[in-house]
Amino acid sequence: MELVTKPLMYWVFISIIVFAAQLCNGFYLPGSYMHTYVNGDVIYAKVNSLTSIETELPFSYYSLPYCKPLGGIKKSAENLGELLMGDQIDNSPYRFRMNVNESIYICTTTPLNEHEVKLLKQRTQDLYQVNMILDNLPVMRFAVQNGVKIQWTGFPVGYTPPGSSDDYIINHLKFTILVHEYEGSNTEIIGTGEEGLGVISESDKSKASGYQIVGFQVSPCSVKYDPEVMTSLHMYDNINSVSCPSELDKDLTRYEELDKEAQAQMNEELSGWKLVVGDVFREPSCSKLLCIMVGDGVQILGMGGVTIVFAALGFMSPASRGMLLTGMIVLYLILGIAAGYVSVRLWSTIKGTSEGWRSVSWSAACFFPGIAFIILTVLNFILWGSNSTGAIPISLYFELFFLWFCISVPLTMIGGFMGTRAEAIEYPVRTNQIPREIPARKYPSWLLVLGAGTLPFGTLFIELFFILSSIWLGRFYYVFGFLLVVLLLLIIVCAEVSVVLTYMHLCVEDWQWWWKAFFASGSVSLYVFLYSINYLVFDLQSLSGPVSATLYLGYSLLMAVAIMLATGTIGFLMSFYFVHYLFSSVKID
């Protein structure tokens, strides 16, 4: 007995295959994304938004008085993920020629006015970084921080020496471009040299039929750098798993062996869960909301799982800007079928009829997207007020509305219709007309529910640090294979915790297990949000200002809601299967 049946999984699988076939050219496959150049080919660098780990408010590169291209500023085509991430990619006057020695005159800037001076000083003090791109590779620099040599993306707008109030603006750059000889065995290095003149290797140039750019580095004159890259250790602690009490198997064996007369004589000695046989499948409070949240949880869980698998296989990479977020959005839209199906199927199971399935499907299509829309709209007004490029433009709002109401909602309605056609799930026992009184407890049950979330959080919090660092500190996250293992462990622990807690409540004659099973594993989101606050206070000390803190907390809240729906759905579905199996395995009068 499963809420997600084989027909649904078949359609979801077909949809994913169609999606992959249509968009396979958009994915980043390692080793197949680089371009090949010949001698003399012109290569232009592009510039991205200015970013800062202190304010988290991106600004346009040309909001500062930098040199502009002779042909004017032209924006590059951006995908949906790049727009949502606040990227604004423009052309630049920085030009390179493959294997050609030349000095390039960029421009002569006009004298800075008072406003431009204040703006440059403010961006320098806020630790803003200039981000450049060459052949889809971000510019990298080496720096020393707290005695540790590390590698950063971009270079600072300016530099303030320790103990000084003077600000030095970076106005001279030394680029190093690493190129690979396409049909040779050597690696050619092209650099600007100490005096700004181009220098290339003279070895075996005649044998080369093409070159591929494999690295793009910069050394700002005001910042010393070291080419050694810090080797980071990625460690993980063992977790303590939980298992169902062995008493359950003993109970099942004993009930099967005892005849009816023996059961009648031993009613007082039997476990409490058999006493709630007439109430265990009684309709829970706010049953419609439960169905909607479970459906949305299936959609989010499927989106996250498929995205991590694709990323672990190399089809989605952080090196391809915005592709990871774009792929997640497309997967979320497609999996609206699963959300509608599960919501309506659970609704039909609880109510005994599919009447009202349209309302359930519509609500499932609008519940989580509605929460995300409210949070993002509030944050967007804050970004608009700060004139940040991270603000979502009005045109993109209309595009998102189109995707929501023209793709996600219809697919969810189709999934709901499929749920009405699916075979009904029959309860193994009948429900009494009068509900059984629940015995008084020495402690409130919600304390046990909240405490249960600590176990799933124990499997997640180590990796959570690296994920938050990649989001807020501008570091690349590539360990998707390890993240896939963490996801599998999280699913297992959430299922076990919810099943154990459900069994404990049934043993004390508490038949209101539905919502408790959901929040037993879903409460991990509370600890994720609290950990995000802890990360803000102790690990993200560079973040300054109420605007930046509000943005951080807003995005963290959205992440916590998504985790609650996904993990809560895991626990609920496993508990539902467990309760159904438990009471269908025992002969009951």
Side-chain angles (χ1 to χ4, degrees):
M1 188 287 304
E2 294 180 350
L3 288 177
V4 181
T5 60
K6 292 182 178 179
L8 172 64
M9 299 306 297
Y10 172 80
W11 284 109
V12 171
F13 178 78
I14 293 298
S15 300
I16 294 174
I17 293 299
V18 172
F19 159 70
Q22 294 295 327
L23 297 182
C24 60
N25 291 331
F27 291 135
Y28 173 86
L29 187 61
S32 65
Y33 199 74
M34 294 183 292
H35 297 87
T36 301
Y37 301 93
V38 297
N39 291 332
D41 278 356
V42 176
I43 311 169
Y44 281 96
K46 297 181 180 180
V47 291
N48 204 342
S49 299
L50 306 174
T51 57
S52 169
I53 62 174
E54 184 168 336
T55 65
E56 298 298 342
L57 296 173
F59 291 97
S60 171
Y61 173 84
Y62 291 109
S63 63
L64 295 180
Y66 286 131
C67 294
K68 297 179 175 58
L70 296 178
I73 301 173
K74 299 178 181 179
K75 297 184 181 298
S76 300
E78 297 173 300
N79 57 44
L80 181 60
E82 289 175 319
L83 292 173
L84 292 176
M85 293 169 61
D87 291 342
Q88 181 175 322
I89 303 175
D90 303 313
N91 60 336
S92 76
Y94 294 96
R95 189 201 69 191
F96 304 91
R97 288 184 182 272
M98 184 61 67
N99 282 354
V100 175
N101 294 322
E102 60 179 343
S103 299
I104 299 178
Y105 167 77
I106 302 298
C107 73
T108 300
T109 57
T110 58
L112 301 178
N113 56 41
E114 183 179 358
H115 171 72
E116 291 173 336
V117 172
K118 289 182 178 179
L119 189 60
L120 284 170
K121 290 178 65 68
Q122 184 64 42
R123 296 291 182 263
T124 301
Q125 294 170 3
D126 289 340
L127 305 181
Y128 269 88
Q129 303 283 321
V130 179
N131 300 293
M132 300 181 64
I133 305 165
L134 184 68
D135 195 29
N136 206 43
L137 293 175
V139 65
M140 308 296 295
R141 69 178 175 91
F142 297 93
V144 177
Q145 182 178 3
N146 298 328
V148 180
K149 302 172 185 177
I150 59 177
Q151 189 177 18
W152 293 93
T153 57
F155 58 90
V157 171
Y159 174 68
T160 303
S164 174
S165 60
D166 297 330
D167 296 318
Y168 295 87
I169 304 302
I170 301 299
N171 57 4
H172 180 73
L173 305 171
K174 294 190 297 183
F175 290 105
T176 300
I177 303 174
L178 306 179
V179 298
H180 175 69
E181 188 177 354
Y182 184 59
E183 292 184 353
S185 59
N186 296 329
T187 299
E188 309 289 342
I189 300 180
I190 307 174
T192 58
E194 295 297 330
E195 303 299 331
L197 298 177
V199 177
I200 65 173
S201 172
E202 298 292 337
S203 62
D204 296 333
K205 290 193 294 183
S206 60
K207 298 181 181 180
S209 61
Y211 298 90
Q212 294 176 337
I213 299 177
V214 296
F216 184 34
Q217 300 175 4
V218 64
S219 177
C221 286
S222 298
V223 179
K224 296 182 180 180
Y225 82 105
D226 194 302
E228 296 182 4
V229 183
M230 180 188 69
T231 303
S232 59
L233 298 179
H234 200 140
M235 303 181 63
Y236 188 76
D237 293 338
N238 293 328
I239 61 170
N240 294 323
S241 182
V242 294
S243 59
C244 296
S246 59
E247 296 298 327
L248 174 59
D249 295 332
K250 297 180 180 179
D251 288 347
L252 290 176
T253 303
R254 180 169 54 177
Y255 284 131
E256 292 296 338
E257 294 177 351
L258 294 177
D259 56 15
K260 296 181 180 180
E261 295 181 359
Q263 290 182 30
Q265 296 175 359
M266 299 179 61
N267 274 338
E268 296 182 357
E269 301 179 7
L270 298 179
S271 296
W273 59 265
K274 190 173 185 292
L275 301 178
V276 297
V277 63
D279 300 276
V280 68
F281 290 107
R282 188 177 300 279
E283 179 181 349
S285 59
C286 303
S287 57
K288 182 178 180 180
L289 179 61
L290 178 63
C291 297
I292 294 169
M293 295 176 69
V294 171
D296 282 3
V298 170
Q299 188 176 9
I300 295 173
L301 182 64
M303 173 198 68
V306 175
T307 300
I308 293 175
V309 170
F310 277 20
L313 295 176
F315 290 100
M316 293 182 179
S317 171
S320 184
R321 294 174 309 279
M323 186 55 63
L324 200 64
L325 184 56
T326 302
M328 292 176 64
I329 294 175
V330 174
L331 286 172
Y332 183 83
L333 296 175
I334 294 176
L335 291 174
I337 298 177
Y341 179 89
V342 174
S343 297
V344 173
R345 187 82 187 278
L346 182 58
W347 171 260
S348 302
T349 300
I350 294 176
K351 292 292 185 179
T353 177
S354 60
E355 183 178 357
W357 69 271
R358 292 180 181 85
S359 176
V360 175
S361 300
W362 172 262
S363 300
C366 298
F367 181 74
F368 179 73
I371 295 176
F373 175 77
I374 293 174
I375 294 177
L376 293 179
T377 300
V378 173
L379 298 181
N380 210 50
F381 277 113
I382 297 176
L383 292 171
W384 273 336
S386 303
N387 296 320
S388 171
T389 60
I392 301 176
I394 295 296
S395 59
L396 183 57
Y397 256 101
F398 285 106
E399 293 179 12
L400 294 176
F401 269 108
F402 174 81
L403 294 176
W404 183 4
F405 290 103
C406 297
I407 298 180
S408 179
V409 172
L411 288 179
T412 307
M413 298 297 291
I414 292 174
F417 178 76
M418 295 170 59
T420 61
R421 299 297 179 181
E423 182 181 357
I425 301 175
E426 297 183 359
Y427 292 145
V429 294
R430 291 175 296 181
T431 302
N432 297 332
Q433 294 183 353
I434 301 176
R436 179 185 180 88
E437 182 179 359
I438 299 176
R441 303 284 295 273
K442 295 181 179 180
Y443 53 88
S445 58
W446 60 266
L447 284 178
L448 190 59
V449 172
L450 291 179
T454 56
L455 286 175
F457 180 72
T459 69
L460 185 63
F461 83 99
I462 295 295
E463 197 65 20
L464 192 60
F465 171 81
F466 295 99
I467 295 175
L468 292 177
S469 297
S470 68
I471 294 175
W472 299 106
L473 295 180
R475 300 172 183 172
F476 284 114
Y477 185 89
Y478 280 106
V479 200
F480 289 101
F482 190 84
L483 184 60
L484 179 61
V485 175
V486 173
L487 176 63
L488 295 177
L489 289 175
L490 179 65
I491 293 175
I492 294 173
V493 174
C494 285
E496 290 181 343
V497 165
S498 184
V499 168
V500 170
L501 196 68
T502 299
Y503 181 72
M504 293 175 61
H505 280 98
L506 293 179
C507 286
V508 294
E509 304 177 30
D510 186 355
W511 46 268
Q512 295 178 343
W513 59 272
W514 302 76
W515 282 106
K516 295 170 184 175
F518 184 92
F519 286 113
S521 54
S523 60
V524 65
S525 61
L526 174 62
Y527 298 99
V528 170
F529 186 73
L530 293 177
Y531 181 83
S532 300
I533 297 176
N534 174 81
Y535 184 85
L536 171 65
V537 175
F538 296 102
D539 296 296
L540 206 61
Q541 298 177 357
S542 60
L543 200 66
S544 63
V547 174
S548 302
T550 303
L551 291 174
Y552 175 86
L553 293 177
Y555 289 125
S556 298
L557 178 61
L558 181 60
M559 179 181 65
V561 172
I563 292 176
M564 178 197 69
L565 294 175
T567 55
T569 296
I570 296 171
F572 174 81
L573 292 180
M574 287 304 301
S575 294
F576 187 91
Y577 177 82
F578 166 76
V579 173
H580 191 282
Y581 173 78
L582 177 63
F583 284 90
S584 62
S585 302
V586 179
K587 296 180 180 179
I588 301 175
D589 298 336

